[in-house]
């Protein structure tokens, strides 16, 4: 999962379950990849992490007007 972050380098150390296999290293982004052989565990983590990421990190930035698609 990935969200635009209000912090340049968000501290994702609180997302420390064994299933976290990757932390997205982009400035102003908070993102994680989780991996488990149990589908239920992945869903559980995604539900929990999504709520926490939105509450603690997520932000919205105004998009520039698209003038030309191609």
């Amino acid at each position: 999962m990935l969200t635009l972050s209000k912090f340049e380098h968000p501290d994702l150390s609180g997302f420390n379950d064994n299933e976290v296999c990757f932390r997205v290293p982009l400035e102003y982004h908070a993102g994680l990849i989780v991996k488990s052989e149990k589908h239920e565990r992945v869903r559980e983590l995604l539900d929990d992490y999504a709520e926490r990421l939105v509450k603690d990190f997520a932000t919205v930035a105004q998009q520039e007007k698209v003038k030309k698609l191609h």
Side-chain angles (χ1 to χ4, degrees), residues 1 3-4 7 16-17 20 23-24 28 32-33 35-36 39 42 46 51 54 56-58 63 67 69:
M1 65 181 43
T3 186
L4 190 59
F7 305 107
N16 57 5
D17 293 286
V20 175
R23 297 173 197 281
V24 177
Y28 293 104
L32 305 158
I33 295 176
K35 180 180 175 182
S36 175
H39 177 75
V42 171
L46 292 179
E51 186 176 316
V54 168
D56 297 337
F57 299 100
Q63 180 179 349
K67 297 177 183 171
L69 294 175

Side-chain angles (χ1 to χ4, degrees), residues 7-69:
F7 305 107
E8 184 175 1
H9 301 287
D11 178 7
L12 301 176
S13 63
F15 299 85
N16 57 5
D17 293 286
N18 292 332
E19 293 85 357
V20 175
C21 62
F22 184 77
R23 297 173 197 281
V24 177
L26 297 174
E27 294 176 348
Y28 293 104
H29 287 79
L32 305 158
I33 295 176
V34 298
K35 180 180 175 182
S36 175
E37 294 192 17
K38 297 179 181 177
H39 177 75
E40 301 81 26
R41 179 63 177 153
V42 171
R43 295 294 307 170
E44 177 184 304
L45 288 170
L46 292 179
D47 289 344
D48 176 45
Y49 285 4
E51 186 176 316
R52 292 169 53 196
L53 284 171
V54 168
K55 182 178 70 128
D56 297 337
F57 299 100
T59 192
V60 177
Q62 185 173 357
Q63 180 179 349
E64 293 182 26
K65 184 177 180 179
V66 177
K67 297 177 183 171
K68 184 177 178 182
L69 294 175

